[in-house]
């Protein structure tokens, strides 16, 4: 009787945990993906420049780069669960501020959103290592799928919401509902679980990270796949329009790429956790990137959907691998959080450079030929860094 009762309790706790993870994952990308489709409304209403409107996408990436290294030490002080819940409260505040309709609050709120999301980005992989070390792959799969599916859905509905009576404020504000639901789901976890604290690493371990070739390889792999994701999200529609595709269809191509990522973000963490060396995954996504980018570069536009599916597979597989590398290349949950912070700081700095640099190259050359060739060169770079990162060893 007693053991049966315990089993029931464990099952209930596990379900609560999975639901809480699913919900927090939905808050980590939706506040970002709702912006792009409603930029014309914001620009017109507030009378801001294209440059400032584009900067709304860059602010969170810069916040990720600056805040990521501090997430692990803060979590050590307050505990993982509490830090994650506080970050969701901060996120809700940022969303509300951003939706008030004033330019200064739009920028301030966007910065708060970036700071809040940085904590979830860094801590979730190490939280899995702390709580369910034997099921990291499966949990990471659920987490990445929830994040990408909700991001894709939010991008699709934000324009219709803005076009309705609520305006762009409603489109930017609706994701606060997800934050409130997430907070409610996390309260039982705070109450009933022994809140975990992590063993701190010494200063010596921290400097070891910045001197470790393996840590840098993981960071660059994270950075280069982020560079691809944010650059493509920003410029793919324009690249396709320049190749003769109608604007409404060009936007739809990005959706195809986003949804092609989803099965890979689920499968790859599970496969990665079962392999001693993750090099087969690195080879797989490199081939997919090469096929997709070659098609884009040669302007074989009649097969655009095929290129999008390959780029989606590549993006999903490379992101899934990066999330797993934080836990696979470290020994403890705290080390995983430290590596995650280090890699995401460098990664998002590269991601923030991508859209601006490629836009600048396009303006100078008045063509997408060089930016598309750049994608192919960076594919070779990510192949090298991911092969180093995928070796079976820890930092």
């Amino acid at each position: 009787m007693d053991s049966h009762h315990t089993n029931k309790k464990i099952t209930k706790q596990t379900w609560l945990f999975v639901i809480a993870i699913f919900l927090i994952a939905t808050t980590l990308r939706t506040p970002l993906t709702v912006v792009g489709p409603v930029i014309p409304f914001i620009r017109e209403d507030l009378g801001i420049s294209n440059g400032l409107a584009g900067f709304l996408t860059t602010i969170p990436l810069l916040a990720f780069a600056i805040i990521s290294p501090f997430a692990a030490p803060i979590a050590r002080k307050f505990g993982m669960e509490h830090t994650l819940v506080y970050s969701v409260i901060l996120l809700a505040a940022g969303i509300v501020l951003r939706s008030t309709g004033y330019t200064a609050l739009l920028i301030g709120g966007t910065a708060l959103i970036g700071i809040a999301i940085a904590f979830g980005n860094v801590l979730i992989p190490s939280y899995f290592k702390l709580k369910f070390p034997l099921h990291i792959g499966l949990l990471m799969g659920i987490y990445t799928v929830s994040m990408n599916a909700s991001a894709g859905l939010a991008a699709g509905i934000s324009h219709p919401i803005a076009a309705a009576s609520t305006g762009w404020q409603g489109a930017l504000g609706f994701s606060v509902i997800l934050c409130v639901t997430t907070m409610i789901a996390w309260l039982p976890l705070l109450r009933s679980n022994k809140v975990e604290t992590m063993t701190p690493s010494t200063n010596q371990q921290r400097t070891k990270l910045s001197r470790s070739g393996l840590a840098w390889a993981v960071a660059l792999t994270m950075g280069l796949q982020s560079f691809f994701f944010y650059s493509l999200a920003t410029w793919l529609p324009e690249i396709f329009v320049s190749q003769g595709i109608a604007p409404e269809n060009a936007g739809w191509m990005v959706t195809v790429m986003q949804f092609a990522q989803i099965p890979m973000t689920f499968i790859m963490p599970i496969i990665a956790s079962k392999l001693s060396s993750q090099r087969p995954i690195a080879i797989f996504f490199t081939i997919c990137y090469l096929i997709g980018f070659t098609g884009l570069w040669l302007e074989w536009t009649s097969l655009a959907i095929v290129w999008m599916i390959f780029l989606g597979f590549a993006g999903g597989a490379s992101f899934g691998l990066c999330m797993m590398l934080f836990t696979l290349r470290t020994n403890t949950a705290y080390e995983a959080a430290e590596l995650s912070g280090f890699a995401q700081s460098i990664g998002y700095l590269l991601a923030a450079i991508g859209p601006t640099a490629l836009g600048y190259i396009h303006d100078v050359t008045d063509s997408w030929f060089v930016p598309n060739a750049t994608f192919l060169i960076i594919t070779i770079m990510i192949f090298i860094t991911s092969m180093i990162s995928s070796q079976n060893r820890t930092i």
Side-chain angles (χ1 to χ4, degrees):
M1 175 77 183
D2 213 351
S3 72
H4 175 70
H5 179 71
T6 315
N7 271 345
K8 233 168 94 174
K9 194 175 170 216
I10 289 169
T11 314
K12 191 184 162 199
Q13 274 298 116
T14 309
W15 273 112
L16 269 175
F17 182 82
V18 170
I19 291 164
I21 289 303
F22 165 76
L23 285 169
I24 202 165
T26 65
T27 67
L28 294 178
R29 287 294 174 272
T30 50
L32 307 181
T33 57
V34 293
V35 178
V38 299
I39 278 180
F41 294 96
I42 299 171
R43 205 172 47 214
E44 197 179 329
D45 188 35
L46 297 178
I48 59 175
S49 68
N50 254 330
L52 182 56
F55 193 55
L56 292 175
T57 313
T58 312
I59 293 169
L61 297 180
L62 293 174
F64 294 168
I66 295 161
I67 301 299
S68 291
F70 301 104
I74 290 169
R76 192 181 73 227
K77 190 171 164 53
F78 295 106
M80 279 263 198
E81 286 93 342
H82 283 110
T83 306
L84 286 167
V85 171
Y86 296 149
S87 75
V88 177
I89 294 168
L90 187 66
L91 180 60
I95 291 169
V96 171
L97 281 178
R98 184 177 72 168
S99 311
T100 49
Y102 299 99
T103 307
L105 292 179
L106 175 70
I107 293 162
T110 302
L112 275 187
I113 287 167
I115 292 166
I117 290 174
F119 283 93
N121 281 346
V122 170
L123 296 176
I124 295 279
S126 49
Y127 188 51
F128 293 160
K129 194 177 180 83
L130 196 66
K131 286 288 188 184
F132 290 94
L134 302 178
H135 303 286
I136 297 172
L138 178 63
L139 288 169
M140 198 71 79
I142 293 167
Y143 165 71
T144 50
V145 167
S146 313
M147 194 159 70
N148 288 323
S150 59
L153 212 56
I157 61 174
S158 73
H159 191 282
I161 290 175
S165 53
T166 51
W168 63 267
Q169 291 93 332
L172 294 191
F174 81 88
S175 49
V176 80
I177 299 164
L178 294 172
C179 296
V180 174
T181 317
T182 302
M183 284 180 232
I184 294 165
W186 276 77
L187 286 177
L189 290 182
L190 289 184
R191 275 207 308 270
S192 62
N193 276 11
K194 180 171 80 69
V195 171
E196 305 280 355
T197 50
M198 298 184 290
T199 340
S201 61
T202 60
N203 278 335
Q204 189 184 359
Q205 277 173 298
R206 236 168 280 162
T207 51
K208 192 174 81 172
L209 207 58
S210 58
R211 289 185 194 155
S212 156
L214 181 56
W216 276 99
V218 172
L220 289 171
T221 306
M222 175 72 201
L224 295 171
Q225 70 82 27
S226 298
F227 179 100
F228 283 150
F229 178 79
Y230 288 99
S231 300
L232 289 170
T234 309
W235 296 120
L236 252 184
E238 291 215 23
I239 292 171
F240 277 133
V241 169
S242 77
Q243 293 181 9
I245 291 182
E248 56 275 17
N249 294 343
W252 190 72
M253 290 299 164
V254 181
T255 312
V256 172
M257 183 181 76
Q258 288 270 26
F259 280 98
Q261 286 189 0
I262 292 172
M264 289 297 146
T265 53
F266 183 70
I267 299 161
M268 284 306 165
I270 298 169
I271 295 173
S273 66
K274 294 189 182 340
L275 294 172
S276 56
S277 159
Q278 290 71 37
R279 287 184 162 179
I281 297 175
I283 293 164
F284 168 76
F285 69 63
T286 302
I287 292 167
C288 290
Y289 273 134
L290 285 173
I291 293 169
F293 286 133
T294 303
L296 204 60
W297 184 53
L298 295 174
E299 301 195 12
W300 291 346
T301 314
S302 57
L303 294 172
I305 288 181
V306 177
W307 314 137
M308 289 305 94
I309 291 168
F310 274 108
L311 289 178
F313 283 175
S318 55
F319 180 73
L321 177 64
C322 285
M323 290 291 106
M324 286 303 292
L325 287 174
F326 306 143
T327 62
L328 292 170
R329 298 288 88 95
T330 52
N331 298 307
T332 67
Y334 189 72
E335 279 180 10
E338 291 257 282
L339 176 60
S340 182
F342 174 73
Q344 296 203 43
S345 176
I346 289 155
Y348 286 114
L349 206 55
L350 270 175
I353 293 165
T356 317
L358 293 178
Y360 176 74
I361 293 169
H362 169 261
D363 287 349
V364 170
T365 60
D366 200 23
S367 143
W368 288 108
F369 184 83
V370 179
N372 286 338
T374 308
F375 286 137
L376 285 166
I377 294 162
I378 292 174
T379 301
I380 305 305
M381 289 163 67
I382 197 171
F383 175 67
I384 296 164
T385 61
S386 59
M387 289 298 273
I388 297 168
S389 311
S390 298
Q391 285 171 303
N392 185 16
R393 58 200 177 105
T394 54
I395 287 163

